[in-house]
Amino acid sequence: MTLISLSRVVKKYSAGAQDVTALDDVSFDIEPAKMTVVLGPSGSGKSTALNMLGGMDTPTSGTIVAAGEEISSYDDARLTLYRREQVGFVFQHYNLIPNLTAAENVGIGSQYSRDAMSPDDALASVGLAGRERSFPSELSGGQMQRVAIARAIAKRPHLLLCDEPTGALDSETGRAVIALLRSIAGTTQTAVVVVTHNVSVAAVGDATVTLHDGRVQSHVEHQVPISVEEIDW
Ligand SMILES: Nc1ncnc2c1ncn2[C@@H]1O[C@H](COP(=O)(O)OP(=O)(O)O)[C@@H](O)[C@H]1O
Ligand SMILES: [Mg+2]
């Protein structure tokens, strides 16, 4: 089963006089209830691919189909609804609002959703019961990233997009965050996409798409993904 597929996606940016081809004929599928890792060195097109999946940017050519709808031909208004209703985002630097509590930060992510989890339930599901009233400055990096994950999943998105979610974390905390993301895929049927340049994370996914210079270098499905405890970081 496929939740979202990119077919022959090209993305060019004009940077001054020159064009940069960030994605060059990229095709791959994302499945629900699985964790797909997008691996590649800096500049290989990972964030561009994630932005296309999340409806934050549109391709120069090629198509993106999400749940049977061709989102690559959506106008801005429909893309806004798609992002709001179907997509959760997690970033490297958490992007929490400093003067709001953990619960208030989570509430912001789901304020437009009809069927959202309560902030307290979302925080409990990421292991932060009891920290609802904490401000970001009172939390560790790993805890702040858990709040960001709770904010992203509270609206029960079909697709959870994570751009370098462990990039600012030490290895132990990073492992725990990856384990959490994997368990979210398994327990909520969400398609989880994790962008990373950390090769160790790749083996933990159900599938790994490796990008190089804007092209898909390999796409591997792991029948039996290894557990997070087994990887060297
Ligand atoms: N908004 C933009 N304008 C111009 N060039 C961009 C823009 N976004 C990304 N690029 C270029 O596209 C390529 C891929 O970038 P990116 O997707 O951010 O890679 P990654 O996330 O793998 O580091 C890089 O060469 C980058 O400089
Ligand atoms: Mg990036």
Side-chain angles (χ1 to χ4, degrees):
M1 208 170 90
T2 298
L3 175 69
I4 179 161
S5 59
L6 287 82
S7 305
R8 313 214 59 171
V9 168
V10 174
K11 181 65 184 183
K12 291 181 201 270
Y13 293 107
S14 46
Q18 268 177 316
D19 269 4
V20 177
T21 304
L23 294 177
D24 185 7
D25 198 10
V26 165
S27 303
F28 62 89
D29 292 345
I30 302 283
E31 291 182 35
K34 301 235 159 126
M35 184 167 109
T36 301
V37 176
V38 178
L39 181 70
S42 179
S44 57
K46 305 181 299 295
S47 295
T48 302
L50 209 68
N51 291 345
M52 302 281 139
L53 290 169
M56 292 198 286
D57 207 344
T58 50
T60 306
S61 66
T63 53
I64 303 172
V65 175
E69 298 259 340
E70 193 186 322
I71 64 164
S72 44
S73 63
Y74 276 8
D75 59 17
D76 281 349
R78 291 183 80 189
L79 272 180
T80 299
L81 286 179
Y82 167 73
R83 278 197 304 272
R84 201 182 274 176
E85 289 167 5
Q86 302 201 34
V87 189
F89 292 97
V90 174
F91 302 99
Q92 178 173 353
H93 295 294
Y94 330 128
N95 299 356
L96 302 180
I97 298 174
N99 61 340
L100 297 184
T101 64
E104 288 164 348
N105 268 283
V106 172
I108 279 185
S110 51
Q111 59 184 336
Y112 299 114
S113 303
R114 281 157 288 167
D115 177 36
M117 286 183 224
S118 73
D120 289 7
D121 286 351
L123 285 167
S125 77
V126 300
L128 286 179
R131 304 309 302 262
E132 296 84 0
R133 291 167 183 276
S134 299
F135 288 97
S137 61
E138 299 169 325
L139 300 171
S140 68
Q143 288 171 328
M144 284 193 275
Q145 193 58 298
R146 284 172 189 271
V147 174
I149 293 168
R151 178 179 58 191
I153 64 172
K155 63 178 170 183
R156 306 182 204 276
H158 298 295
L159 185 61
L160 178 61
L161 302 175
C162 312
D163 199 348
E164 305 271 8
T166 63
L169 302 175
D170 64 71
S171 60
E172 212 45 50
T173 312
R175 271 176 215 261
V177 163
I178 294 293
L180 172 64
L181 292 171
R182 202 165 112 172
S183 83
I184 287 169
T187 57
T188 67
Q189 302 299 300
T190 309
V192 177
V193 182
V194 176
V195 159
T196 182
H197 61 268
N198 185 336
V199 179
S200 303
V201 174
V204 181
D206 297 291
T208 306
V209 177
T210 304
L211 296 182
H212 195 86
D213 284 345
R215 302 185 74 102
V216 176
Q217 193 174 50
S218 65
H219 186 173
V220 181
E221 313 250 344
H222 308 287
Q223 293 312 325
V224 186
I226 67 168
S227 75
V228 178
E229 293 72 38
E230 289 171 72
I231 57 172
D232 295 322
W233 196 261

